Structures are given as structure tokens and as C-alpha cells.
Amino acid sequence: MKIIKENDCKALVILQENDIIEISALNGNKEHFEVKCLNSSLHINEFPFSKVKEKSIEEKEILKMKEYLQDKK
């Protein structure tokens, strides 16, 4: 793991194979997640990052469908 850039609000970290970063907030929130480098790809809490992005797109499309259906009533 290499920290390339760091300032008050942002850091650039390069992960090598099998490196793990655990991320949480300072405000007392107990939620945290892990970012792992496995087989040269990033995984968030064991999910590949691409799946997280797909889920985000899917949730936006579901909201659009719900709004459409409410407008038709």
C-alpha cells in the first residue's frame, strides 16, 4: 500500500495485491467498510466495485419507474 497524495480532505492510496483498507467516519457512526485488492481489482466488502456501481444505477432506474407509475395513476 502506498499513499501518493494527502491533504486535509483527500488522499490517494495505491493498493497492492491483498492489501485491505478499512474506512469509517469520525462522527461516531459505527458503520464501516473494507476495500480490498484481489486479483488486481478493487472489492468493497467482498463485492467487486463494478457490482456496487451497477446497484446504484439499478436503484436510480427503480425510482424512475416508481415515479412514472405514480404519474399514470
Side-chain angles (χ1 to χ4, degrees):
M1 179 181 330
K2 296 180 184 178
I3 299 174
I4 305 298
K5 290 183 185 178
E6 187 176 7
N7 62 30
D8 292 340
C9 300
K10 188 176 178 179
L12 173 61
V13 178
I14 306 296
L15 297 179
Q16 296 172 343
E17 192 64 33
N18 297 320
D19 282 349
I20 299 172
I21 296 177
E22 193 170 296
I23 301 170
S24 61
L26 285 175
N27 64 359
N29 186 349
K30 293 183 180 184
E31 226 175 279
H32 70 278
F33 63 94
E34 292 180 341
V35 178
K36 298 179 184 182
C37 181
L38 301 172
N39 299 322
S40 298
S41 67
L42 296 178
H43 294 253
I44 300 174
N45 287 351
E46 301 295 330
F47 296 107
F49 184 73
S50 59
K51 293 289 182 190
V52 173
K53 189 173 181 180
E54 286 175 15
K55 180 139 178 75
S56 174
I57 293 170
E58 183 179 307
E59 287 174 353
K60 287 178 187 176
E61 295 302 316
I62 289 171
L63 284 174
K64 286 180 188 177
M65 286 190 298
K66 284 181 179 179
E67 289 173 3
Y68 176 78
L69 291 173
Q70 286 178 350
D71 289 344
K72 290 293 180 179
K73 287 185 178 182

